[in-house]
Structures are given as structure tokens and as C-alpha cells.
Amino acid sequence: MTHRFENSLAFAKQMDEQDPLSAIRNEYHIPKQSNGEDEIYLCGNSLGLQPKRTEQYLSYELSQWQKLGVKGHFSGDYPWMPYHEFLTEGFAELVGAKNSEVVAMNSLTANLHFMMVSFYRPTQKRHKILIEDHAFPSDHYAVESQIKFHGFDPEQSMLLIKPREGESTFRTEDILKVIEEQGDSIALILLPGVQYYTGQVFDMQAITKAGHDKGCQVGFDLAHASGNIEMQLHDWQVDFACWCNYKYLNSGAGSVAGCFVHETHHKNKDLPRFAGWWGHNKQTRFKMDNQFDPTESVEAWQLSNPPILSLAAIRASLDTIKQAGGISALRKKSLLLTGYLRFLLNQELGDDIKILTPENEAEHGCQLSLTVDTHGLDGKVVFERIEKAGVTGDWRYPNVIRVAPVPQYNSFEDCYHFVQILKQSLQQ
Ligand SMILES: *Cc1c(COP(=O)(O)O)cnc(C)c1O
């Protein structure tokens, strides 16, 4: 998208006025600075802000429990027994799935493990997991420990792909080439939808196709993709995907995670799975006959009855996103918002700041990852200065400041003020 941006506060305000989604900011609690002004909160990539209706949804469930006790499982507008089903449609729209392919359960890393139980079945010939070098630590540990669990050696079986020398993001052609060359020994490809450190969006469709052509299973970690970019997991034939709901999905720290399993796997009785009673056919779950009969959907992978308060917070978030017009409306604004942030950074700071995140629209979401390249100033010191001036972003070792203007609650004015503050903070 080429857009004529201007580097002025008046222009930023005008963009906010013309923004059809600007009112959605009022649906969120924006943290305040000590002077009473709103923080410039650019940290939705780490912990999204609380929708105002969350409190009301949680209170409702608390009062149901007060009034009904165990009968809350079957009574009220949102009975607890099928509560996860109230999130199905929202999730399906977010990731481009059929309703039968998405469910809320467990936490992200737990789901990665449970998915690998089913989709990482190493043999002597095909035993590798392809993952990026410097993946998010939890993903790295999960993969490494799964390889060891199956009696293989991470040195041989963990295939870490790196960007080219001197580059910080991946070229799709390079990923596809590794799959082409080593695919016969790769059991599972597990890559991010959006890479947490650089903010790069991976070409999930091309990677899935290349992996399948070589007989690999293909899964994605969507921690930084869900609620950020548009996806079509079903059409792309992705085997599985997992995500957390507390980043761009604003459902509170440690909230229950999401999981996708493609419908091609739902009827496969040969897939190994770690089972629990919540995965059992709903019609007969309470017959307690101890004959596991898996639900013919992703719900077969559920283990336990889920924490309702956490699911209520996810429902509040999904309803707020729906009110905003869904992920396609949000993504449209996001491209403008992040595009404007990049424009301002280039205009004001030029060579003093390097942006690691790709510029191409298909390859970035909300987040820009910045390194400070100026006058021998330490990036961490600059980060501390911007924090003091009212900006919440985040610092990731070894040397990146991540900032994410989120279309749900950030404004063009936020981007303008942030760049002014960053400019100030680069003075010696
Ligand atoms: C945020 C994040 C996690 C966090 O894992 P939890 O199990 O939710 O604690 C894992 N992987 C990636 C890629 C992340 O971005």
C-alpha cells in the first residue's frame, strides 16, 4: 500500500479522525502514566490490554458460581459444560479454520507438546524437526526435549535454519530450499507464523506446500500471528497450529491457549494422542464407561474441563474484536498504523535506528523490531529513557527494542509521540 503520510502531529490527528476503528480504543483500559496521561502502550505483542467488558464477563461467571454451584455447568446463558464452544467461531475466523478445527485448551507450550505427540513420529530415516535458529526459548526447549524423549540426539535431529550471513530475516526461497534438500529426513516443520524477535511473517502457505511435497508434517506457532495478521490455515492445509491468547488477543496473562488441527486428521484413529476425558465424545462422556471414544474434531485433543474464568476473558476479547469488524478490518488499519510508524522512523531517525522487520506488507504484522545504531549509544539505555518518558515497549536480548502499535487500541498519535520521544532519547 502506498500512502501519502506526513510527519506532523496535525496529520497524525487527522488520521485518527478518519480512522473507522478509532472508537474501539475506548473499549480497552489504557494504563496511565504517573502524570495521569495515557501511556504510549506499544507492548501488545507481549501482553495485550484489558478489554473493558472482561470484568463484566468474569463477574457474570463468578455470580453464576455463587448462585448455582455445580448447576452452573448446565444453566445460564453460557453454561460451563460447553463453554469452549462459545469461542469456536471467533477463533475460526481469526485463523481461517472450520469450526471443527479450533479449540481453546491448555497453554501454548503444553499444546506444542501435545501436538508433537501426534505429529512428531520420528523414524531412523525421518527424524528431524525443522525450526528456526534463535526460536522463542520455550519452542526450542519443547522441540529439543521431544527429540530426546524419542531417543534421538538434538545434534542430529534438530535442524536449525538461519538467515543468510549479514541478514536478520529469512528469505522464503532459502527455507524452501532446505525443505527440498533435506525434506526426506524431516519429520516435522515447526516454524512461527510471525517471528517474535524480528516480527517477520513467514509464508505459511508456501512452507506447508513444500513440506507436504516432501512428506513432512507442518505446524506453526501463532503466538505472534493470532489477532495480528490474516490467515487461512484450513485452505493452506496446515497440519496443526498453537497460539496463546494474551498477546494480540488481550485475554490476560497466562490465559488459556488456542489450538488448530486440520480436519484431515480428525478421523485418523492411528494418530497417537495423550487423551483425557474432555476429548471423549460429548454424548457419552458422562457414562464413565472408560472406553475412549474421541470426538471427531480438534476437541479430541482436549484433556480437562477448562478454566472458565480464563475462557470468559477470551470471549470478552473475541467479542471486542468482532465489534471492531474482525481481523480483516483490524489488519487493514494495522498496515496503515505500522506503515506510518515506519515512515516516521525513517523521516526522523534515518540511519540512527535500524528496522529489522521486513517492509514488504506480506512479511510484517504490527510489530517493528528496532536496533539502535547511533553514536555508540547502548540500545538498553535508550530503551530505559523511552520508558521513563511514558512509552511501554519491550527490550529483547541481545539488542532489540520491539514496538507494536496495535490496531485495537493504538492511535496514529501514539506513533507520532513515540518517534518524538525516541528521537529525544537518542541525544547524548
Ligand atoms: C509468547 C510465546 C510463548 C509463550 O509460551 P507460554 O507457553 O504461553 O508461556 C511461546 N512461544 C512463542 C513463540 C511465544 O511468542
Side-chain angles (χ1 to χ4, degrees):
M1 203 183 304
T2 47
H3 202 279
R4 293 190 70 80
F5 291 131
E6 287 173 29
N7 180 9
S8 73
L9 182 57
F11 181 82
K13 287 187 174 192
Q14 185 193 326
M15 287 296 284
D16 285 323
E17 274 161 29
Q18 290 168 357
D19 167 20
L21 296 192
S22 60
I24 293 296
R25 178 180 171 91
N26 299 327
E27 298 292 323
Y28 292 87
H29 292 285
I30 313 288
K32 301 275 187 220
Q33 306 178 45
S34 52
N35 65 8
E37 283 181 32
D38 286 351
E39 271 181 22
I40 299 169
Y41 193 87
L42 299 175
C43 211
N45 56 310
S46 183
L47 187 75
L49 293 180
Q50 186 184 122
K52 288 188 180 159
R53 72 184 87 195
T54 303
E55 194 170 358
Q56 174 201 331
Y57 285 30
L58 261 62
S59 302
Y60 177 78
E61 299 310 331
L62 288 172
S63 78
Q64 290 294 94
W65 179 24
Q66 287 161 15
K67 288 186 264 186
L68 300 169
V70 70
K71 295 192 190 77
H73 281 297
F74 308 101
S75 330
D77 294 339
Y78 296 97
W80 304 329
M81 248 280 290
Y83 201 98
H84 62 274
E85 294 171 17
F86 305 130
L87 313 181
T88 300
E89 254 176 58
F91 276 171
E93 203 219 301
L94 279 175
V95 300
K98 291 191 171 180
N99 286 352
S100 64
E101 293 173 321
V102 285
V103 71
M105 61 182 197
N106 311 317
S107 63
L108 169 54
T109 308
N111 285 340
L112 287 173
H113 277 294
F114 290 122
M115 289 296 104
M116 282 192 271
V117 166
S118 296
F119 297 103
Y120 177 54
R121 307 291 301 153
T123 62
Q124 285 307 325
K125 185 169 167 297
R126 191 189 279 280
H127 54 89
K128 291 181 191 160
I129 300 181
L130 176 77
I131 184 174
E132 87 275 26
D133 197 26
H134 292 293
F136 191 91
S138 206
D139 301 53
H140 187 101
Y141 305 148
V143 162
E144 192 173 40
S145 59
Q146 282 282 334
I147 288 171
K148 286 186 189 163
F149 175 75
H150 284 281
F152 287 84
D153 176 4
E155 285 287 326
Q156 312 299 326
S157 301
M158 202 163 168
L159 179 55
L160 300 171
I161 49 166
K162 297 183 175 73
R164 287 187 192 183
E165 193 68 37
E167 297 184 7
S168 30
T169 52
F170 291 89
R171 301 192 195 195
T172 304
E173 68 205 77
D174 292 353
I175 302 174
L176 301 185
K177 188 151 167 268
V178 173
I179 297 171
E180 171 64 30
E181 287 173 359
Q182 302 198 46
D184 293 337
S185 63
I186 299 172
L188 171 66
I189 297 169
L190 182 60
L191 290 170
V194 177
Q195 217 280 342
Y196 83 100
Y197 190 76
T198 62
Q200 178 177 23
V201 177
F202 280 56
D203 188 337
M204 290 177 256
Q205 184 173 18
I207 291 167
T208 305
K209 170 141 196 338
H212 286 172
D213 285 349
K214 283 290 188 174
C216 319
Q217 303 285 341
V218 185
F220 289 97
D221 184 323
L222 304 180
H224 285 262
S226 292
N228 181 6
I229 60 170
E230 290 181 272
M231 291 172 281
Q232 296 300 335
L233 298 186
H234 176 81
D235 291 348
W236 298 343
Q237 302 193 13
V238 168
D239 293 297
F240 71 87
C242 312
W243 63 93
C244 51
N245 287 306
Y246 48 79
K247 291 171 179 163
Y248 296 104
L249 291 172
N250 309 317
S251 304
S255 79
V256 169
C259 190
F260 165 94
V261 175
H262 199 281
E263 71 174 353
T264 53
H265 301 297
H266 295 177
K267 289 191 179 160
N268 183 354
K269 303 264 188 221
D270 299 330
L271 269 187
R273 171 195 290 134
F274 285 173
W277 74 319
W278 231 246
H280 188 100
N281 179 347
K282 285 179 238 190
Q283 266 64 52
T284 55
R285 185 181 294 157
F286 290 90
K287 289 207 170 131
M288 312 307 236
D289 66 359
N290 291 5
Q291 304 288 319
F292 186 63
D293 173 20
T295 314
E296 266 186 24
S297 76
V298 66
E299 294 185 9
W301 277 267
Q302 294 176 111
L303 302 180
S304 302
N305 76 102
I308 297 303
L309 293 177
S310 180
L311 297 195
I314 299 175
R315 196 166 68 76
S317 167
L318 293 175
D319 282 359
T320 310
I321 286 172
K322 192 169 173 191
Q323 185 187 339
I327 187 65
S328 57
L330 289 168
R331 172 64 168 160
K332 210 165 148 199
K333 171 173 173 184
S334 170
L335 286 170
L336 276 178
L337 204 56
T338 296
Y340 188 52
L341 175 58
R342 181 186 289 272
F343 164 84
L344 293 173
L345 287 166
N346 287 338
Q347 284 262 314
E348 287 284 10
L349 302 167
D351 295 339
D352 289 348
I353 287 284
K354 191 166 152 233
I355 305 174
L356 300 186
T357 314
E359 182 161 9
N360 170 9
E361 282 192 356
E363 289 185 276
H364 74 79
C366 299
Q367 175 185 324
L368 293 183
S369 300
L370 315 176
T371 53
V372 176
D373 257 7
T374 183
H375 337 296
L377 257 183
D378 182 22
K380 186 82 197 294
V381 170
V382 173
F383 177 72
E384 281 158 9
R385 289 181 184 170
I386 63 173
E387 271 202 313
K388 251 197 202 121
V391 174
T392 301
D394 76 0
W395 172 257
R396 273 287 169 267
Y397 281 99
N399 64 348
V400 156
I401 296 173
R402 299 188 302 179
V403 281
V406 171
Q408 283 93 321
Y409 46 76
N410 284 120
S411 62
F412 291 86
E413 209 181 318
D414 283 339
C415 296
Y416 182 82
H417 290 309
F418 164 68
V419 174
Q420 291 301 314
I421 290 170
L422 182 57
K423 189 178 175 187
Q424 289 283 319
S425 306
L426 290 173
Q427 310 294 320
Q428 292 295 336

